[in-house]
Amino acid sequence: MITLNLLQYIENAGLGEIDESLFWERMPVDVEGVYISDLGNSTTRGGLKEQSYELYARFNNNVEGYRRLNDILKLLDSSFNVCRLPEVVDCKGNVLAPSVNGVSIMPTSSITNYGADDRNRIIYSAQGSIYY
């Protein structure tokens, strides 16, 4: 669930809103936005866990999709020393994911073009890892 905390961190930086333009693990077909998905190589190194993730951007305007993903990557690449990711709370005040301390956000990959979907929208992607 550390990637849900990372999504909250991105929202707190003003780069979107969860369930509006930022999505966790899946994104509805008829919306534009960025979603984050866990990659299956979660491991432990020393006393730290590692979670790899992939970000996907899909917008009707392909330039906007690239730009939005690039803005998020700039935030993450400058956040190595963040050390704490915020808690995630739903609209009823329930804590979905508690805050996480001792976090290192590693530099991300460059942006990859995965090609067009069935509506001719380019899907852009980038990968990263978090140690916590």
Side-chain angles (χ1 to χ4, degrees), residues 2-78:
I2 189 78
T3 51
L4 184 56
N5 298 89
L6 186 61
L7 205 61
Q8 184 66 58
Y9 177 72
I10 293 167
E11 179 183 78
N12 291 356
L15 296 175
E17 291 183 45
I18 294 176
D19 292 335
E20 296 290 326
S21 61
L22 297 173
F23 300 91
W24 186 64
E25 296 296 339
R26 69 183 194 94
M27 183 167 66
V29 173
D30 58 342
V31 299
E32 298 180 310
V34 174
Y35 76 96
I36 191 167
S37 181
D38 295 347
L39 296 178
N41 67 340
S42 185
T43 60
T44 301
R45 295 196 178 180
L48 297 176
K49 294 179 184 176
E50 175 190 5
Q51 178 62 60
S52 295
Y53 60 88
E54 192 157 13
L55 292 159
Y56 299 91
R58 184 187 67 209
F59 286 80
N60 291 327
N61 179 322
N62 295 329
V63 173
E64 176 64 16
Y66 187 95
R67 186 191 66 75
R68 191 76 63 92
L69 184 56
N70 193 53
D71 289 347
I72 291 171
L73 297 182
K74 285 180 187 177
L75 170 70
L76 297 177
D77 288 344
S78 67

Side-chain angles (χ1 to χ4, degrees), residues 16 25 29 44 47 72 90 94 120 124 132:
E25 296 296 339
V29 173
T44 301
I72 291 171
D90 69 12
N94 300 313
N120 206 32
Y124 295 103
Y132 62 105

